[in-house]
Coordinates of all heavy atoms in Angstrom, one line a residue:
M289 N 0.8 -1.2 0.0 CA 0.0 0.0 0.0 C 0.9 1.2 0.0 O 2.0 1.2 0.5 CB -0.9 0.0 1.3 CG -1.8 -1.1 1.4 SD -3.3 -0.8 0.5 CE -4.2 0.2 1.7
E290 N 0.4 2.3 -0.6 CA 1.1 3.5 -0.6 C 0.2 4.6 0.0 O -1.0 4.5 -0.2 CB 1.6 3.9 -2.0 CG 2.7 3.1 -2.5 CD 3.1 3.6 -3.9 OE1 2.3 4.3 -4.5 OE2 4.2 3.2 -4.3
Y291 N 0.8 5.6 0.6 CA 0.0 6.7 0.9 C 0.7 8.0 0.5 O 1.9 8.0 0.3 CB -0.3 6.8 2.4 CG 0.9 7.0 3.3 CD1 1.4 8.2 3.6 CD2 1.7 5.9 3.7 CE1 2.5 8.4 4.4 CE2 2.8 6.0 4.5 CZ 3.2 7.3 4.8 OH 4.4 7.5 5.5
F292 N -0.1 9.0 0.2 CA 0.5 10.3 -0.3 C 0.1 11.4 0.7 O -1.1 11.5 1.0 CB -0.1 10.6 -1.7 CG 0.4 9.6 -2.7 CD1 -0.3 8.5 -3.0 CD2 1.5 9.9 -3.4 CE1 0.1 7.6 -3.9 CE2 2.0 9.0 -4.4 CZ 1.2 7.8 -4.7
N293 N 1.1 12.1 1.1 CA 0.8 13.2 1.9 C 0.9 14.5 1.0 O 1.9 14.9 0.6 CB 1.9 13.3 3.0 CG 1.6 14.5 3.9 OD1 0.8 15.4 3.6 ND2 2.4 14.6 5.0
L294 N -0.3 15.0 0.7 CA -0.4 16.1 -0.2 C -0.1 17.5 0.5 O -0.2 18.5 -0.2 CB -1.7 16.1 -0.9 CG -1.9 14.8 -1.7 CD1 -3.3 14.8 -2.3 CD2 -0.9 14.6 -2.9
G295 N 0.1 17.4 1.8 CA 0.2 18.7 2.5 C 1.6 19.3 2.5 O 1.8 20.4 2.9
V296 N 2.6 18.6 1.9 CA 3.9 19.1 1.9 C 4.4 19.1 0.4 O 3.8 18.4 -0.4 CB 4.9 18.3 2.7 CG1 4.6 18.4 4.2 CG2 4.9 16.8 2.3
N297 N 5.3 20.0 0.1 CA 5.8 20.1 -1.3 C 7.3 20.0 -1.3 O 7.9 20.9 -0.7 CB 5.3 21.4 -1.8 CG 5.5 21.5 -3.3 OD1 5.9 20.5 -4.0 ND2 5.4 22.7 -3.9
P298 N 7.9 19.1 -2.0 CA 7.3 18.1 -2.8 C 6.6 17.0 -1.9 O 7.0 16.9 -0.7 CB 8.4 17.4 -3.6 CG 9.6 17.7 -2.7 CD 9.4 19.0 -2.1
I299 N 5.6 16.4 -2.4 CA 4.8 15.5 -1.5 C 5.7 14.4 -1.1 O 6.6 14.0 -1.8 CB 3.5 15.0 -2.2 CG1 3.8 14.0 -3.3 CG2 2.7 16.1 -2.7 CD1 2.6 13.2 -3.7
F300 N 5.4 13.8 0.0 CA 6.1 12.7 0.5 C 5.3 11.4 0.2 O 4.1 11.3 0.5 CB 6.4 12.8 2.0 CG 7.1 11.7 2.6 CD1 8.5 11.6 2.4 CD2 6.4 10.7 3.3 CE1 9.2 10.5 2.9 CE2 7.1 9.6 3.8 CZ 8.5 9.5 3.7
R301 N 6.0 10.4 -0.3 CA 5.4 9.1 -0.5 C 6.0 8.1 0.4 O 7.2 7.9 0.5 CB 5.6 8.6 -2.0 CG 4.9 7.3 -2.2 CD 5.2 6.9 -3.7 NE 6.6 6.9 -4.1 CZ 7.4 6.0 -3.7 NH1 7.1 4.9 -3.0 NH2 8.7 6.1 -4.1
G302 N 5.2 7.5 1.2 CA 5.7 6.5 2.1 C 5.1 5.1 1.7 O 4.1 5.0 1.0
T303 N 5.7 4.1 2.2 CA 5.2 2.8 1.9 C 5.0 2.0 3.2 O 5.8 2.1 4.1 CB 6.3 2.0 1.1 OG1 6.6 2.9 -0.1 CG2 5.7 0.7 0.5
Y304 N 4.0 1.2 3.3 CA 3.9 0.3 4.5 C 3.2 -0.9 4.0 O 2.6 -1.0 2.9 CB 3.0 1.0 5.6 CG 1.6 1.3 5.2 CD1 0.6 0.5 5.5 CD2 1.3 2.6 4.6 CE1 -0.7 0.8 5.1 CE2 0.0 2.9 4.2 CZ -1.0 2.0 4.5 OH -2.3 2.3 4.2
S305 N 3.3 -2.0 4.8 CA 2.8 -3.2 4.4 C 1.7 -3.7 5.3 O 1.6 -3.2 6.5 CB 3.8 -4.3 4.3 OG 4.5 -4.4 5.5
L306 N 0.8 -4.5 4.9 CA -0.3 -5.0 5.7 C 0.0 -6.4 6.1 O 0.3 -7.3 5.2 CB -1.6 -4.9 5.0 CG -2.1 -3.5 4.7 CD1 -3.4 -3.6 3.8 CD2 -2.4 -2.8 6.0
G307 N 0.0 -6.8 7.3 CA 0.2 -8.2 7.7 C 1.6 -8.6 7.3 O 2.5 -7.9 7.4
S308 N 1.7 -9.8 6.8 CA 3.0 -10.3 6.4 C 3.2 -10.3 4.9 O 4.1 -10.9 4.4 CB 3.0 -11.8 6.9 OG 2.0 -12.5 6.3
V309 N 2.4 -9.5 4.2 CA 2.6 -9.4 2.8 C 3.9 -8.7 2.5 O 4.2 -7.6 3.1 CB 1.5 -8.6 2.1 CG1 1.7 -8.4 0.6 CG2 0.1 -9.3 2.4
T310 N 4.7 -9.3 1.7 CA 6.0 -8.6 1.3 C 5.8 -7.7 0.1 O 5.2 -8.2 -0.9 CB 7.0 -9.7 1.0 OG1 7.1 -10.6 2.1 CG2 8.4 -9.1 0.7
L311 N 6.3 -6.5 0.2 CA 6.1 -5.6 -0.9 C 7.1 -5.8 -2.0 O 8.3 -6.0 -1.7 CB 6.3 -4.2 -0.4 CG 5.1 -3.7 0.5 CD1 5.5 -2.3 1.0 CD2 3.8 -3.6 -0.3
K312 N 6.6 -5.8 -3.2 CA 7.6 -5.8 -4.3 C 8.1 -4.4 -4.6 O 7.3 -3.4 -4.5 CB 6.9 -6.3 -5.6 CG 7.2 -7.8 -5.9 CD 7.1 -8.0 -7.4 CE 5.7 -8.3 -7.9 NZ 5.6 -8.7 -9.2
K313 N 9.3 -4.3 -4.9 CA 9.9 -3.0 -5.2 C 9.3 -2.5 -6.5 O 9.1 -3.3 -7.4 CB 11.4 -3.1 -5.3 CG 12.1 -1.8 -5.3 CD 13.6 -2.0 -5.4 CE 14.3 -0.7 -5.7 NZ 15.5 -0.9 -6.6
K314 N 8.9 -1.2 -6.6 CA 8.4 -0.7 -7.8 C 8.8 0.7 -8.0 O 9.2 1.4 -7.1 CB 6.9 -0.9 -7.9 CG 6.1 -0.1 -7.0 CD 4.6 -0.3 -7.3 CE 3.8 0.7 -6.5 NZ 2.5 0.8 -7.0
G315 N 8.6 1.1 -9.2 CA 9.0 2.5 -9.5 C 10.0 2.5 -10.7 O 9.9 1.6 -11.6
Y316 N 10.9 3.4 -10.7 CA 11.8 3.6 -11.8 C 13.2 3.8 -11.3 O 13.4 4.4 -10.3 CB 11.4 4.7 -12.7 CG 10.0 4.5 -13.3 CD1 8.9 4.9 -12.6 CD2 9.8 3.9 -14.5 CE1 7.6 4.7 -13.1 CE2 8.6 3.7 -15.1 CZ 7.5 4.1 -14.4 OH 6.2 3.9 -14.9
H317 N 14.2 3.4 -12.1 CA 15.6 3.8 -11.8 C 16.3 4.1 -13.1 O 15.9 3.6 -14.2 CB 16.3 2.6 -11.0 CG 16.5 1.4 -11.8 ND1 15.5 0.4 -11.9 CD2 17.5 1.0 -12.5 CE1 16.0 -0.6 -12.7 NE2 17.2 -0.2 -13.1
I318 N 17.4 4.9 -12.9 CA 18.1 5.3 -14.1 C 19.4 4.5 -14.2 O 20.1 4.3 -13.2 CB 18.5 6.8 -14.0 CG1 17.2 7.6 -13.9 CG2 19.3 7.3 -15.2 CD1 17.3 9.1 -13.6
T319 N 19.6 4.0 -15.4 CA 20.8 3.1 -15.6 C 22.0 3.8 -16.2 O 21.9 5.0 -16.5 CB 20.4 2.0 -16.6 OG1 20.2 2.6 -17.9 CG2 19.1 1.3 -16.2
E320 N 23.0 3.1 -16.3 CA 24.3 3.7 -16.9 C 24.2 4.2 -18.3 O 25.1 4.8 -18.8 CB 25.4 2.6 -16.8 CG 25.8 2.2 -15.4 CD 26.4 3.3 -14.6 OE1 27.1 4.1 -15.2 OE2 26.2 3.4 -13.4
K321 N 23.1 3.8 -19.0 CA 22.9 4.3 -20.3 C 22.6 5.8 -20.4 O 22.7 6.4 -21.4 CB 21.7 3.6 -21.0 CG 22.1 2.2 -21.4 CD 21.0 1.6 -22.3 CE 19.9 1.0 -21.5 NZ 18.9 0.3 -22.3
C322 N 22.3 6.4 -19.2 CA 22.1 7.8 -19.1 C 23.2 8.7 -19.8 O 24.4 8.5 -19.5 CB 21.9 8.2 -17.7 SG 21.8 10.0 -17.4
I323 N 22.8 9.6 -20.6 CA 23.8 10.5 -21.3 C 23.8 11.9 -20.7 O 24.4 12.8 -21.2 CB 23.5 10.6 -22.8 CG1 22.1 11.0 -23.1 CG2 23.8 9.2 -23.5 CD1 21.9 11.4 -24.6
G324 N 23.0 12.0 -19.6 CA 23.0 13.3 -18.9 C 22.4 14.5 -19.6 O 22.7 15.6 -19.4
C325 N 21.4 14.2 -20.5 CA 20.7 15.3 -21.2 C 19.8 16.2 -20.4 O 19.5 17.3 -20.7 CB 19.9 14.7 -22.4 SG 18.4 13.8 -21.8
G326 N 19.4 15.6 -19.2 CA 18.6 16.4 -18.3 C 17.1 16.5 -18.6 O 16.3 17.1 -17.9
K327 N 16.7 15.8 -19.6 CA 15.2 15.8 -20.0 C 14.4 15.3 -18.9 O 13.3 15.9 -18.6 CB 15.0 15.1 -21.3 CG 13.6 15.3 -21.8 CD 13.4 15.0 -23.3 CE 12.0 15.4 -23.7 NZ 11.7 14.7 -25.0
C328 N 14.8 14.2 -18.3 CA 14.0 13.6 -17.2 C 13.8 14.6 -16.1 O 12.7 14.7 -15.5 CB 14.6 12.3 -16.7 SG 16.3 12.5 -16.1
K329 N 14.8 15.3 -15.7 CA 14.7 16.3 -14.6 C 13.8 17.4 -15.0 O 13.0 17.8 -14.1 CB 16.1 16.8 -14.4 CG 16.2 17.8 -13.2 CD 17.7 18.2 -13.0 CE 17.7 19.4 -12.1 NZ 18.5 19.1 -10.9
R330 N 13.8 17.8 -16.3 CA 12.9 18.9 -16.7 C 11.4 18.4 -16.7 O 10.5 19.2 -16.4 CB 13.2 19.4 -18.1 CG 14.5 20.2 -18.1 CD 14.7 21.0 -19.4 NE 14.8 20.1 -20.5 CZ 16.0 19.6 -21.0 NH1 17.1 19.8 -20.3 NH2 16.0 18.8 -22.0
V331 N 11.1 17.2 -17.0 CA 9.7 16.7 -17.1 C 9.2 16.2 -15.8 O 8.0 15.9 -15.7 CB 9.5 15.7 -18.2 CG1 9.9 16.2 -19.6 CG2 10.3 14.4 -17.9
C332 N 10.0 16.0 -14.8 CA 9.6 15.4 -13.6 C 8.7 16.3 -12.8 O 9.2 17.4 -12.4 CB 10.8 14.9 -12.7 SG 10.3 14.3 -11.1
P333 N 7.4 16.0 -12.5 CA 6.6 16.9 -11.8 C 7.0 17.1 -10.4 O 6.6 18.1 -9.7 CB 5.2 16.3 -11.9 CG 5.5 14.8 -12.1 CD 6.8 14.8 -12.9
Q334 N 7.7 16.2 -9.8 CA 8.1 16.3 -8.5 C 9.5 16.9 -8.3 O 10.0 17.1 -7.2 CB 8.2 14.8 -7.9 CG 6.9 14.3 -7.5 CD 6.3 15.0 -6.3 OE1 5.5 15.9 -6.5 NE2 6.7 14.6 -5.1
R335 N 10.2 17.1 -9.4 CA 11.5 17.7 -9.4 C 12.4 16.8 -8.4 O 13.1 17.3 -7.6 CB 11.6 19.1 -8.9 CG 10.7 20.0 -9.8 CD 11.0 21.5 -9.5 NE 10.1 22.3 -10.4 CZ 10.4 22.6 -11.6 NH1 11.5 22.1 -12.2 NH2 9.6 23.3 -12.4
C336 N 12.3 15.5 -8.6 CA 13.0 14.6 -7.7 C 14.1 13.9 -8.4 O 14.5 12.8 -7.9 CB 12.0 13.7 -7.0 SG 11.2 12.5 -8.0
I337 N 14.6 14.4 -9.5 CA 15.7 13.8 -10.2 C 17.0 14.7 -10.0 O 16.9 15.9 -10.3 CB 15.4 13.5 -11.6 CG1 14.2 12.5 -11.7 CG2 16.6 12.9 -12.3 CD1 13.8 12.2 -13.1
D338 N 18.0 14.1 -9.5 CA 19.3 14.8 -9.3 C 20.2 14.6 -10.4 O 20.3 13.5 -11.0 CB 19.9 14.4 -8.0 CG 19.1 14.8 -6.8 OD1 18.4 15.8 -6.9 OD2 19.1 14.1 -5.8
E339 N 21.0 15.6 -10.8 CA 22.0 15.5 -11.8 C 23.1 14.6 -11.3 O 23.4 14.5 -10.1 CB 22.6 16.9 -12.1 CG 21.7 17.7 -13.0 CD 22.4 19.1 -13.3 OE1 23.6 19.1 -13.4 OE2 21.6 20.0 -13.3
G340 N 23.8 13.9 -12.3 CA 24.9 13.0 -11.9 C 25.2 12.2 -13.1 O 24.6 12.4 -14.2
K341 N 26.1 11.2 -12.9 CA 26.4 10.3 -14.0 C 26.3 8.9 -13.5 O 27.2 8.4 -12.9 CB 27.8 10.5 -14.5 CG 28.0 11.8 -15.2 CD 29.4 12.0 -15.8 CE 29.5 13.3 -16.6 NZ 30.8 13.6 -17.1
P342 N 25.2 8.2 -13.6 CA 24.0 8.7 -14.3 C 23.2 9.6 -13.4 O 23.5 9.8 -12.2 CB 23.2 7.4 -14.6 CG 23.6 6.5 -13.5 CD 25.0 6.8 -13.2
Y343 N 22.1 10.2 -13.9 CA 21.2 11.0 -13.1 C 20.5 10.0 -12.1 O 20.5 8.8 -12.3 CB 20.1 11.6 -14.0 CG 20.4 12.9 -14.5 CD1 21.7 13.2 -15.1 CD2 19.5 14.0 -14.5 CE1 22.0 14.4 -15.6 CE2 19.8 15.2 -15.0 CZ 21.1 15.4 -15.6 OH 21.4 16.7 -16.1
V344 N 20.0 10.5 -11.0 CA 19.5 9.7 -9.9 C 18.1 10.1 -9.5 O 17.8 11.3 -9.3 CB 20.4 9.7 -8.7 CG1 19.8 8.8 -7.6 CG2 21.8 9.2 -9.0
I345 N 17.2 9.2 -9.4 CA 15.8 9.5 -8.9 C 15.8 9.4 -7.4 O 16.3 8.5 -6.8 CB 14.8 8.5 -9.5 CG1 14.7 8.6 -11.0 CG2 13.4 8.6 -8.8 CD1 13.9 7.5 -11.6
N346 N 15.3 10.5 -6.8 CA 15.1 10.5 -5.3 C 13.9 9.7 -5.0 O 12.7 10.2 -5.2 CB 15.0 11.9 -4.8 CG 14.9 12.0 -3.3 OD1 14.5 11.0 -2.7 ND2 15.1 13.2 -2.8
Q347 N 14.0 8.5 -4.7 CA 12.9 7.6 -4.6 C 11.8 8.0 -3.5 O 10.7 7.7 -3.7 CB 13.4 6.1 -4.2 CG 14.3 5.6 -5.3 CD 13.6 5.3 -6.6 OE1 12.4 5.2 -6.7 NE2 14.4 5.1 -7.7
N348 N 12.3 8.7 -2.5 CA 11.3 9.1 -1.5 C 10.3 10.1 -2.0 O 9.2 10.2 -1.4 CB 12.1 9.8 -0.3 CG 12.8 8.7 0.6 OD1 12.4 7.6 0.5 ND2 13.7 9.2 1.3
H349 N 10.6 10.8 -3.1 CA 9.6 11.8 -3.6 C 9.0 11.4 -4.9 O 8.1 12.1 -5.4 CB 10.4 13.1 -3.7 CG 10.8 13.7 -2.4 ND1 9.9 14.1 -1.5 CD2 12.0 13.9 -1.9 CE1 10.6 14.5 -0.4 NE2 11.9 14.4 -0.7
C350 N 9.5 10.3 -5.5 CA 9.0 9.9 -6.8 C 7.5 9.4 -6.7 O 7.1 8.7 -5.8 CB 9.8 8.7 -7.3 SG 9.2 8.0 -8.8
L351 N 6.7 9.9 -7.7 CA 5.3 9.5 -7.7 C 5.0 8.3 -8.6 O 3.9 7.9 -8.7 CB 4.5 10.6 -8.4 CG 4.2 11.9 -7.6 CD1 3.6 12.9 -8.6 CD2 3.3 11.6 -6.5
H352 N 6.0 7.8 -9.2 CA 5.9 6.7 -10.2 C 5.0 7.1 -11.3 O 4.2 6.2 -11.8 CB 5.3 5.4 -9.5 CG 6.2 4.9 -8.3 ND1 5.8 4.1 -7.4 CD2 7.5 5.3 -8.0 CE1 6.7 3.8 -6.5 NE2 7.8 4.6 -6.8
C353 N 5.0 8.3 -11.7 CA 4.2 8.8 -12.8 C 4.6 8.3 -14.2 O 3.9 8.2 -15.1 CB 4.1 10.3 -12.8 SG 5.6 11.1 -13.4
G354 N 5.9 8.0 -14.3 CA 6.5 7.4 -15.5 C 6.9 8.5 -16.5 O 7.3 8.2 -17.6
S355 N 6.7 9.7 -16.2 CA 7.1 10.8 -17.1 C 8.5 10.8 -17.6 O 8.8 10.9 -18.8 CB 6.7 12.2 -16.5 OG 6.9 13.2 -17.4
C356 N 9.4 10.5 -16.6 CA 10.8 10.4 -17.0 C 11.1 9.3 -17.9 O 11.8 9.4 -18.9 CB 11.7 10.3 -15.7 SG 11.2 8.9 -14.6
Y357 N 10.5 8.2 -17.6 CA 10.6 6.9 -18.3 C 10.2 7.1 -19.8 O 10.8 6.7 -20.7 CB 9.8 5.9 -17.6 CG 9.6 4.5 -18.3 CD1 10.6 3.6 -18.3 CD2 8.4 4.2 -18.9 CE1 10.4 2.3 -18.9 CE2 8.2 3.0 -19.5 CZ 9.2 2.1 -19.5 OH 9.0 0.8 -20.0
E358 N 9.1 7.8 -19.9 CA 8.5 8.0 -21.3 C 9.3 9.0 -22.1 O 9.3 9.0 -23.3 CB 7.1 8.5 -21.2 CG 6.1 7.4 -20.8 CD 4.8 7.9 -20.3 OE1 4.5 9.1 -20.6 OE2 4.0 7.1 -19.7
N359 N 10.0 9.9 -21.4 CA 10.7 11.0 -22.1 C 12.2 10.8 -22.3 O 12.8 11.6 -23.0 CB 10.4 12.3 -21.4 CG 9.0 12.8 -21.7 OD1 8.7 13.3 -22.8 ND2 8.1 12.6 -20.7
C360 N 12.8 9.8 -21.7 CA 14.2 9.6 -21.9 C 14.5 9.3 -23.3 O 14.0 8.3 -23.8 CB 14.7 8.6 -20.9 SG 16.5 8.3 -21.2
P361 N 15.4 10.0 -24.0 CA 15.7 9.8 -25.4 C 16.5 8.5 -25.7 O 16.5 8.0 -26.8 CB 16.4 11.0 -25.9 CG 17.1 11.6 -24.6 CD 16.1 11.2 -23.5
V362 N 17.2 8.0 -24.7 CA 18.0 6.9 -24.9 C 17.5 5.6 -24.1 O 18.3 4.7 -23.9 CB 19.5 7.2 -24.6 CG1 20.1 8.2 -25.5 CG2 19.7 7.6 -23.1
K363 N 16.3 5.7 -23.6 CA 15.7 4.6 -22.8 C 16.6 4.2 -21.7 O 16.8 3.0 -21.5 CB 15.5 3.4 -23.8 CG 14.6 3.8 -25.0 CD 13.1 3.6 -24.6 CE 12.2 3.9 -25.8 NZ 11.4 5.1 -25.6
A364 N 17.2 5.1 -21.0 CA 18.1 4.8 -19.9 C 17.3 4.5 -18.6 O 17.9 4.1 -17.6 CB 19.1 5.9 -19.7
I365 N 16.0 4.8 -18.6 CA 15.2 4.6 -17.4 C 14.5 3.3 -17.5 O 13.8 3.1 -18.5 CB 14.3 5.9 -17.1 CG1 15.2 7.1 -17.0 CG2 13.5 5.6 -15.9 CD1 14.4 8.4 -16.9
E366 N 14.6 2.6 -16.4 CA 13.9 1.3 -16.4 C 12.9 1.2 -15.3 O 13.1 1.8 -14.3 CB 14.9 0.1 -16.3 CG 15.8 0.0 -17.5 CD 16.9 -1.1 -17.4 OE1 17.0 -1.7 -16.3 OE2 17.6 -1.3 -18.4
R367 N 11.9 0.4 -15.5 CA 10.9 0.1 -14.4 C 11.5 -0.9 -13.5 O 12.2 -1.8 -13.9 CB 9.7 -0.6 -15.0 CG 8.6 0.3 -15.5 CD 7.5 -0.6 -16.0 NE 6.8 0.0 -17.1 CZ 5.7 0.7 -16.9 NH1 5.2 0.9 -15.7 NH2 5.1 1.3 -17.9
D368 N 11.3 -0.7 -12.2 CA 11.7 -1.7 -11.2 C 10.8 -2.9 -11.2 O 9.6 -2.7 -11.5 CB 11.8 -1.1 -9.8 CG 12.9 -0.1 -9.7 OD1 13.9 -0.3 -10.4 OD2 12.7 0.9 -9.0
Ligands
SF4_14 S1 16.4 11.8 -19.9 FE1 17.6 9.8 -19.9 S2 19.6 10.3 -20.7 FE2 18.6 12.3 -20.2 S3 19.4 12.7 -18.1 FE3 17.4 11.6 -17.9 S4 18.0 9.4 -17.7 FE4 19.8 10.5 -18.5
SF4_15 S1 8.4 8.6 -12.3 FE1 7.6 10.7 -12.3 S2 7.9 11.5 -10.3 FE2 9.2 9.7 -10.5 S3 11.2 10.5 -11.1 FE3 10.0 9.9 -13.0 S4 9.1 11.8 -13.6 FE4 9.7 12.1 -11.5

């Protein structure tokens, strides 16, 4: 289960589990194929991607919207 706290900006996404159900990791991560173009950072509504080699998603703030994934010109972003 996920919950969203919309009262802070950028919003905080937390994760918790119910009972003994084990959560599968999900979301997106940036691979070594990243060429540092910065497009993902520009399209991220949460502004939660940091510059680097490769760029890095700040998972605590990521909404899993997929915008970065869809816009990366070299398909460097993969789904978890
Ligand atoms: S859009 Fe793709 S290539 Fe460009 S900075 Fe982001 S991950 Fe790297
Ligand atoms: S999935 Fe959406 S919120 Fe998460 S890093 Fe990509 S663009 Fe940002």
Side-chain angles (χ1 to χ4, degrees):
M289 298 275 280
E290 285 181 345
Y291 64 90
F292 292 88
N293 180 354
L294 300 174
V296 293
N297 189 13
I299 72 164
F300 178 77
R301 178 179 54 78
T303 309
Y304 62 94
S305 56
L306 293 174
S308 59
V309 177
T310 306
L311 289 173
K312 258 209 277 186
K313 194 179 168 214
K314 64 173 190 168
Y316 299 88
H317 68 274
I318 299 174
T319 69
E320 294 294 327
K321 284 192 276 183
C322 171
I323 56 170
C325 71
K327 189 162 185 195
C328 55
K329 185 178 165 115
R330 289 195 296 276
V331 300
C332 175
Q334 282 291 94
R335 302 191 182 281
C336 65
I337 299 177
D338 293 330
E339 282 179 37
K341 289 184 177 177
Y343 273 45
V344 178
I345 294 173
N346 182 341
Q347 299 293 343
N348 285 340
H349 295 296
C350 173
L351 283 175
H352 302 165
C353 71
S355 184
C356 54
Y357 172 78
E358 286 164 13
N359 285 285
C360 177
V362 295
K363 306 272 179 245
I365 301 177
E366 294 179 355
R367 272 180 210 266
D368 290 325

